[in-house]
Amino acid sequence: MSDKGREPLRIGVLGAARITERSLIDPARATGHRLVAVAARDSARAEAFAAEHGVERVAGSYAELVADPEVDVVYNPLANGLHGPWNLAALAAGKHVLSEKPSASNAEEATEVRAAAEKAGTVFMEAFHYLFHPVTRRLHELLASGELGELRHVEAMVAIAAPPDTDPRWSLPLAGGALMDLGCYSLHALRVLAPWAGGPPRLAGARGGERAGVPGVDEWLDADLEFPGGATGAARCHMAYDGLDMSIRIVGSRGEATAPNFVLPHLDDRVVVRTPEGERTERLGTRSSYTYQLEAFAARVRDGAPLPLDADDAVTTMELIDACYRQAGFEPRPRTRV
């Protein structure tokens, strides 16, 4: 790290997921943290991953990695259904945990993860990286300053082209579905507007469509929310969309603000503000939201700095996800037994 005499975090990586290069490898290099170990189901894949990304060694199994005394932090980017079990295992081993979202397969399992984090006394955080980027911070500032007036409506859409049919995101046993993979961002982005909306939102309705040939797995889901202060919200997601859409639009009584890509702001760092005074475009920088996230996580681990995300927040998000599934005619995701 940039502070002299500061020891870097010693990070162990579960799996050799492609997202890890963007979500952890590059941020760790940028911030000076050590990638101590990686484990994968396929040892050859783990060896290749370690060689490519400069990971110090390969662990023989996930269990060996979480037990490794040289690992301080476990990063969990496994398939959704494996978040809960390995978050629990890492916390039981006394590790700090940075888990890809969502933290578990359902609210019951997320509650167990929260209890494990409390017992361990370590840092647990769900990786809603978008929250740390200046794009999202600026949206919140526009509400806090009063420039947009009182919050009236917010709509968030997170949509991607369809992954291959063999992708675990389409697997019900691995807690797949559009809401789990994408819609959690939409819901979370609305949830964190509670300070400017009179409190947290409640679910007013939800609709979804099933993926053909995959019973119980949602291809898309739309949720309607209502805030105590009278504002409304729409949280939408689609995992077989015509292109990419990761936008959020916040409408107030005096104006509105739009971020064309709040989830991956390094691809588009604009915030467009429209008020009676006119329209302007602000650019907030293309530094990775994942790098901001790792810096904030490290500050919490080392110095006890506050974080906007914790195990309580993860449970609340998961409760809302389960409620959306039920309202849309699906069952909450089953937990994966390891």
Side-chain angles (χ1 to χ4, degrees), residues 5 25 31 54 56 61 85 87 92 96 153-154 167 177 193 201 239 247 278 291 297 312:
I25 302 295
T31 53
E56 295 173 21
S61 65
N87 288 342
H96 304 290
H153 182 69
V154 56
D167 194 288
L193 299 183
M239 206 156 67
S247 60
T291 301
F297 184 82
D312 285 335

Side-chain angles (χ1 to χ4, degrees), residues 224-239:
D224 303 320
L225 292 95
E226 295 177 347
F227 292 90
T232 59
R236 304 173 59 205
C237 61
H238 203 306
M239 206 156 67

Side-chain angles (χ1 to χ4, degrees), residues 130-131 140 143 151 154 187-202 225-231 250 313 316:
Y130 82 96
L131 196 58
H140 295 174
L143 284 170
L151 181 64
V154 56
L187 290 175
H188 197 269
L190 269 62
R191 278 194 52 240
V192 297
L193 299 183
W196 304 283
R202 73 169 188 87
L225 292 95
E226 295 177 347
F227 292 90
I250 295 174
D313 184 81
T316 302

Side-chain angles (χ1 to χ4, degrees), residues 170-238:
W170 293 124
S171 168
L172 185 62
L174 289 175
L179 184 61
M180 293 289 283
D181 193 62
L182 305 173
C184 57
Y185 282 111
S186 302
L187 290 175
H188 197 269
L190 269 62
R191 278 194 52 240
V192 297
L193 299 183
W196 304 283
R202 73 169 188 87
L203 182 64
R207 303 156 302 285
E210 191 172 72
R211 176 70 170 174
V214 192
V217 175
D218 50 310
E219 182 175 281
W220 63 271
L221 194 143
D222 295 346
D224 303 320
L225 292 95
E226 295 177 347
F227 292 90
T232 59
R236 304 173 59 205
C237 61
H238 203 306

Side-chain angles (χ1 to χ4, degrees), residues 259-278:
N261 194 335
F262 77 99
V263 177
L264 299 174
H266 67 279
L267 299 179
D268 190 337
D269 65 337
R270 291 176 296 155
V271 170
V272 181
V273 184
R274 299 179 181 90
T275 67
E277 286 71 45

Side-chain angles (χ1 to χ4, degrees), residues 107-138:
E108 179 183 23
E109 189 174 46
T111 301
E112 293 179 18
V113 171
R114 177 175 63 186
E118 291 172 352
K119 182 177 180 180
T122 54
V123 177
F124 175 84
M125 192 179 88
E126 200 172 21
F128 278 114
H129 55 96
Y130 82 96
L131 196 58
F132 298 92
H133 196 275
V135 162
T136 294
R137 297 208 307 270
R138 182 59 179 146

